Amino acid sequence: MRRPAAALLCAVLLTGCAGGPGERPGAADGRAQDPTRAEGDTHPLPPVVDHVPTREPVVFLTYDDGAERDPRFVGLVRERRLPVSMFLTDSVVGPGYGHFARLRAVGASIQNHTLDHPALRGLPYAGQRAEICGQQHKLRSRFGISPRLFRPPYGTYDRTTLRAAADCGITAVVLWRASLNAEGGLTYTRGEPGLRPGDIVSVPAGETMSPSLTERTVRLLREIERKGLRVGRLEDHLEDHLEDRPEDRPPGRPERLPGRRAVGN
């Protein structure tokens, strides 16, 4: 069910998917608000998170779409051992999956951001499921993985989105509390300004953005370190959080799994 996405993407790639309130389509503010689960849902609805409760001094770096493929970024992730999360859209990545295979090889995780980047809220179940499950199939064929995390384009969603995500094997819908803006500063969707442990940070990416993705990330890392924080692996911390909440525990994982979380610096 491909549909032309170029015009829509041009409007957002300069700021990424983490836009400010009032952007169209939808209010792309990244705030996590769980719609009420309805009777008849076949799977537990995944929680919607923009922050992961943790006592560890970590924040989580997330990147959307896959439009910007700066080769130096692979080196930065490798050298700094950064456990970043890449939420990919198939129609944006196009022939660039090899770049993300290299990122995955040096520690990045690959997650779902739909096939064609539509605003999902208000679409029928079949259309939303096709977008989410379709990208699950793409990523499985490319990387042999089935992502557990999903970010809806523009940060907009409804209960149908959560139903479709659950039916596609998603265990959490990931938004953001902080976003890197065009001037290199951070804006916040809620709460007091300033990074705090557990914050999910969105780093917008676009083919023509300047400075480069690598340079923007290095500046952000300086701010993270200035706050006495480091970069944590979102998947590990989120898994622990869900396992502490029996109603959100991923199927087949009755208790916390042993293992060390990956962190970068």
Side-chain angles (χ1 to χ4, degrees), residues 1-264:
M1 55 164 288
R2 293 299 181 90
R3 56 191 244 188
L8 186 60
L9 288 170
C10 286
V12 299
L13 284 179
L14 291 180
T15 56
C17 294
E23 280 195 353
R24 292 295 181 267
D29 58 13
R31 288 176 292 185
Q33 302 173 355
D34 286 326
T36 303
R37 184 184 175 193
E39 185 177 352
D41 288 334
T42 57
H43 296 98
L45 297 185
V48 184
V49 298
D50 58 13
H51 178 94
V52 182
T54 180
R55 295 181 180 179
E56 296 186 40
V58 295
V59 294
F60 310 106
L61 297 189
T62 64
Y63 299 77
D64 289 356
D65 303 332
E68 190 170 357
R69 296 185 281 275
D70 179 359
R72 294 181 300 163
F73 186 65
V74 179
L76 177 67
V77 171
R78 181 183 63 250
E79 292 163 13
R80 301 290 294 267
R81 300 176 64 189
L82 294 177
V84 298
S85 301
M86 316 299 295
F87 288 83
L88 300 184
T89 295
D90 182 67
S91 62
V92 178
V93 176
Y97 275 104
H99 172 79
F100 295 98
R102 290 187 287 275
L103 273 171
R104 183 168 179 259
V106 297
S109 78
I110 303 297
Q111 305 297 340
N112 190 325
H113 196 43
T114 71
L115 280 174
D116 292 318
H117 208 275
L120 295 175
R121 186 169 59 197
L123 295 181
Y125 171 82
Q128 297 205 39
R129 189 180 190 280
E131 282 288 339
I132 301 170
C133 285
Q135 183 63 344
Q136 291 288 87
H137 294 320
K138 284 280 186 180
L139 296 175
R140 190 178 302 118
S141 66
R142 294 281 185 174
F143 302 108
I145 60 173
S146 295
R148 293 290 186 178
L149 306 184
F150 170 68
R151 173 168 286 169
Y154 313 102
T156 63
Y157 62 94
D158 56 19
R159 186 180 62 81
T160 301
T161 310
L162 303 188
R163 275 206 307 130
D167 292 344
C168 294
I170 297 298
T171 58
V173 172
V174 178
L175 302 183
W176 58 90
R177 195 184 86 87
S179 177
L180 192 67
N181 61 36
E183 290 73 39
L186 288 167
T187 58
Y188 298 86
T189 63
R190 63 180 179 82
E192 293 294 324
L195 286 175
R196 61 192 189 202
D199 277 346
I200 298 173
V201 183
S202 172
V203 183
E207 291 178 295
T208 60
M209 291 188 73
S210 179
S212 71
L213 186 62
T214 301
E215 293 165 331
R216 297 197 307 277
T217 300
V218 167
R219 293 179 186 179
L220 178 56
L221 290 173
R222 292 194 190 109
E223 175 64 13
I224 291 170
E225 292 163 358
R226 190 178 70 83
K227 294 286 188 178
L229 301 167
R230 63 184 187 273
V231 180
R233 184 175 297 281
L234 175 61
E235 295 73 17
D236 292 349
H237 286 76
L238 188 52
E239 180 179 274
D240 284 354
H241 173 58
L242 297 184
E243 287 170 349
D244 286 338
R245 300 173 57 185
E247 69 274 19
D248 293 328
R249 186 174 295 151
R253 292 183 182 176
E255 57 187 31
R256 181 171 298 180
L257 300 176
R260 185 177 64 181
R261 297 185 186 91
V263 294

